Amino acid sequence: MLAEIKIATEMEALNKYKETREKLFNQAGISPKSNFATVNDSDVKKVHYLELGSGKPLILIHGGLSHSSEWFPMLKQLSNHFHLFVVDRPGHGLTDPINYTNIDYEKSSINFIHSFMDSVGLQKASLLGNSMGGYFAICFGMSYPERVDKLLLIGAPAGMNRWVPLMLRLLGTKGINKLLAKTFAKPSISNLKMVHRQILVASINQLPEVYFENCYHHMLLPEVMVAHRTMLENVLTIRGWKAKYYLTDRLNQLEIPAHFIWGDQDAFEKYDTGLQKAKKIKAYTFKVVENAGHCPWLDRPGECSSLIIGKMYE
């Protein structure tokens, strides 16, 4: 009986997630295909991704506690120019669950992108990464530069700054995080709005209510919170980002140009220090988006889309 109740609850969560995702995409005027790829040499075997558009391939890699739906404001404009592969990272969205305990996070991130590209037949593609997705993109670009056409990083990439907002450091601390999961970290729309205000966007006023509903139902998917918790425990200490995953001292090893799009109100790092770190890369560009936070396209989707399209055509 308990097993049947669990299955029914999980199915209800999945259906609610898909239902709110469809409403969100309808409002955005898009109809992406929901696909699954079977991958090898990765910590997961089944990867979910959204596919739409045609032209040069562009892989979108979302941030740490998010999922593929978060890109919704830009997908219509970008799909008019490019063939989009919008992945759910391991343990997020509809991709296989994962427990990051005792996993080499950098190696896992590289293997994930490599195996996904192989599975969908992409020998070379451009990468667009936000936050933790930026970490995935940079690590892959350093390991397989021959497979990256354009490297685009929107919002401060994870791993470029040892400092991390206190909220995430606490969520990455064993024991404390389980207590917090019962209070401000408990899945709810009000908590999601609070997190967005504090660390993700400059303003939530332009985000539709169904977006937060979709984010909420994403958090209720089976094992998603386990992936979030163990990921943060893997990469963070109470002091901040772990030294072994720190990227800034290795940015000079990046052989391909990197194009940064940075919100002027990014809660993870100010654009002026971000620019100084970007200068370690042999070839880079750096654009600041005004009145925008860590996910600048949620604040300024039109401007961010235009910047991405411009760089893709250079």
Side-chain angles (χ1 to χ4, degrees), residues 219-239:
M219 296 177 76
L220 299 182
L221 291 174
E223 306 301 322
V224 162
M225 298 307 292
V226 172
H228 289 183
R229 174 175 55 81
T230 57
M231 175 188 67
L232 293 175
E233 290 173 354
N234 190 311
V235 301
L236 300 178
T237 70
I238 193 62
R239 293 189 177 92

Side-chain angles (χ1 to χ4, degrees), residues 7 12 67-68 98 115 171 184 201 210 256 260 285 298:
I7 291 171
E12 181 180 2
H67 52 128
S68 55
I98 190 171
S115 59
L171 288 173
F184 85 84
V201 296
V210 69
I256 54 177
F260 292 85
T285 63
L298 293 178

Side-chain angles (χ1 to χ4, degrees), residues 16-34:
K16 279 289 188 181
Y17 175 68
K18 291 181 176 180
E19 177 187 323
T20 53
R21 185 183 65 178
E22 184 176 1
K23 289 181 180 178
L24 178 65
F25 290 167
N26 284 341
Q27 287 190 18
I30 54 175
S31 300
K33 295 178 182 178
S34 179

